[in-house]
Amino acid sequence: MSAVKQVGWSGMVSSRELKTCGRNGHLTYAPDEEQLAARLRGSTALGESWRCLRCGDWVLGPAAAHGPADQAPVPARGKALRQLTILRVLAVERLVRAMVLVAAAFGVYRFSSAQTALRRSFGSWLPYFRPIFDRLGVDLDRTTIVHEATKALHAGHGVLVLVAVGLLGYGLLEAIEGVGLWMAKRWAEYLTVIATAVFIPYEVYELTKSVTVTKAGAFAINVAAVVYLVVAKRLFGARGGATAYERELASESLLEIEAAGEDVRVDHASEGSDVGMPTGRAPTQ
């Protein structure tokens, strides 16, 4: 426990924690350990108050929950709260992808149902555009758009159904990733890394064929997401793995900080001195 964390909560809270409490409400907890509870409980002219475990502010009224200190909730704050913000940005990006993929699956399925009519329409309209492109010096039948459209229009119904099912499955996977990341679930972080890394070789192959802003942007986002999640969230044993990550979260907890402060008080009191730790009492009003 560093000296900064031993001196208590004062000066450590940022506007990010305050804004989060403003949106989601304060989080108070009464530990069964009396000495620790005394550091988190205060009395005011309006009655009992408890310190918020996220922002450290005093909240009037009884604690929202109580129990052993080791079972207290550990709200994200500091570095963990910044990581949560990044996770939710990734979650939104995944959910947007999911909506696009599901819409594409629906479009391919509808296309397969109307494929014959579309083929006739395409074949009837194409001759009208050939003279225009001929004047521009462009062979319409050799353009990429016409080539790909012709392939799609002549693809088998079963192939298109398989494509629609594949797009739908991929979209559902992205949706699961997005919801899990928004809820900051560790399994979702693993799932996102694995599912994203699987497609990176294919994206590299596509970039070797042609480089576009869309392809390059998607590749950069996916690589950055994989590297960030593995390194910052200590996945797959990186930087100490899950044990080190849980220890880092616990070290940022207000209860952990106050418990360490109490230990310092007791140690110095046994030597006949006091380091002047805060008493945990709120100022009277």
Side-chain angles (χ1 to χ4, degrees):
M1 189 67 63
S2 68
V4 173
K5 289 180 181 176
Q6 288 178 347
V7 299
W9 183 267
S10 178
M12 297 180 63
V13 66
S14 71
S15 61
R16 193 184 300 271
E17 284 84 1
L18 293 173
K19 289 178 181 178
T20 302
C21 284
R23 291 192 302 269
N24 303 327
H26 292 291
L27 184 61
T28 55
Y29 186 85
D32 292 341
E33 295 80 359
E34 185 54 38
Q35 287 185 330
L36 184 55
R39 297 175 61 80
L40 302 174
R41 183 176 58 238
S43 60
T44 71
L46 298 177
E48 179 185 25
S49 63
W50 288 83
R51 297 184 78 177
C52 174
L53 297 185
R54 182 185 293 111
C55 70
D57 200 3
W58 292 98
V59 183
L60 284 172
H66 62 86
D70 59 3
Q71 295 181 17
V74 182
R77 75 166 196 85
K79 182 179 179 181
L81 194 55
R82 291 192 296 274
Q83 291 178 346
L84 181 59
T85 301
I86 296 174
L87 281 183
R88 289 188 168 173
V89 171
L90 290 175
V92 171
E93 188 263 343
R94 260 37 185 193
L95 291 172
V96 170
R97 281 194 194 186
M99 290 188 290
V100 171
L101 288 167
V102 171
F106 178 74
V108 170
Y109 179 76
R110 289 294 301 272
F111 171 77
S112 67
S113 302
Q115 188 178 13
T116 302
L118 289 171
R119 190 186 301 127
R120 285 199 299 266
S121 298
F122 184 76
S124 63
W125 280 99
L126 199 58
Y128 292 101
F129 289 96
R130 282 198 182 98
I132 299 175
F133 279 83
D134 288 341
R135 292 182 180 179
L136 297 174
V138 177
D139 186 349
L140 182 61
D141 294 320
R142 293 182 178 273
T143 60
T144 301
I145 294 177
V146 172
H147 178 68
E148 294 298 327
T150 302
K151 284 173 58 179
L153 288 168
H154 288 83
H157 177 75
V159 173
L160 292 175
V161 171
L162 287 176
V163 171
V165 171
L167 289 171
L168 179 62
Y170 190 23
L172 293 177
L173 176 63
E174 293 287 275
I176 292 171
E177 289 178 26
V179 173
L181 289 174
W182 186 270
M183 298 175 66
K185 299 297 184 181
R186 196 158 178 83
W187 60 260
E189 297 166 4
Y190 278 101
L191 178 62
T192 300
V193 169
I194 294 172
T196 304
V198 165
F199 287 97
I200 286 179
Y202 174 75
E203 292 177 341
V204 172
Y205 170 72
E206 284 295 315
L207 286 172
T208 61
K209 294 169 58 178
S210 64
V211 179
T212 65
V213 174
T214 302
K215 289 182 180 180
F219 175 73
I221 291 173
N222 288 337
V223 171
V226 169
V227 172
Y228 172 79
L229 288 174
V230 170
V231 175
K233 304 311 292 287
R234 304 173 187 261
L235 303 181
F236 302 102
R239 299 174 58 223
T243 302
Y245 180 71
E246 294 296 331
R247 186 167 57 246
E248 181 182 43
L249 286 182
S251 69
E252 297 291 337
S253 166
L254 175 59
L255 281 179
E256 184 81 9
I257 294 169
E258 293 297 338
E262 185 63 35
D263 291 342
V264 172
R265 283 174 55 86
V266 171
D267 290 343
H268 283 265
S270 64
E271 299 171 4
S273 62
D274 194 332
V275 294
M277 293 299 298
T279 62
R281 309 292 288 179
T284 59
Q285 298 181 3

